[in-house]
Amino acid sequence: MNLYTEKQKTQDFEYFKDINKDFFSKNGHKFLAIKNRSVVDNADSVQDLIKQMDARSIAVGTYLIQECTGDDSAYTTTVMRLITKGQKNG
């Protein structure tokens, strides 16, 4: 079984953050398969990307999948909880 360590995941994620804007400007919105600090493949959907990687005999869980949006929205989340007048917190 091919192990994909936390260290490898972290390195691949840092690589993705480095290439996100440039890749997007050249290729547009895509989902990327990243392994060993390299883009192995890309597709318009996660499902298509996984199919393409399966066809190459690269198992799910041994590479990073990232959505390339050209900005940090691909890897940040904003959580907001609004409380309106008269509503109890909890």
Side-chain angles (χ1 to χ4, degrees), residues 3-84:
L3 293 179
Y4 189 49
T5 67
E6 286 302 316
K7 181 178 179 181
Q8 290 170 310
K9 291 175 192 175
T10 299
Q11 290 172 338
D12 287 346
F13 181 66
E14 290 302 319
Y15 172 76
F16 167 72
K17 291 193 313 185
D18 290 343
I19 67 157
N20 185 24
K21 288 180 185 177
D22 188 49
F23 190 95
F24 182 83
S25 69
K26 292 177 183 172
N27 302 285
H29 180 258
K30 298 285 182 183
F31 290 88
L32 310 180
I34 300 171
K35 185 173 180 126
N36 299 324
R37 297 186 52 84
S38 178
V39 176
V40 178
D41 213 336
N42 70 81
D44 292 329
S45 72
V46 172
Q47 295 83 358
D48 287 343
L49 182 60
I50 291 171
K51 287 177 188 174
Q52 290 168 202
M53 295 297 283
D54 282 345
R56 297 170 84 167
S57 298
I58 303 174
V60 171
T62 63
Y63 57 91
L64 181 70
I65 296 176
Q66 283 295 146
E67 182 177 11
C68 183
T69 60
D71 59 27
D72 64 359
S73 68
Y75 51 88
T76 58
T77 303
T78 302
V79 177
M80 180 183 353
R81 181 169 181 195
L82 297 174
I83 299 175
T84 59

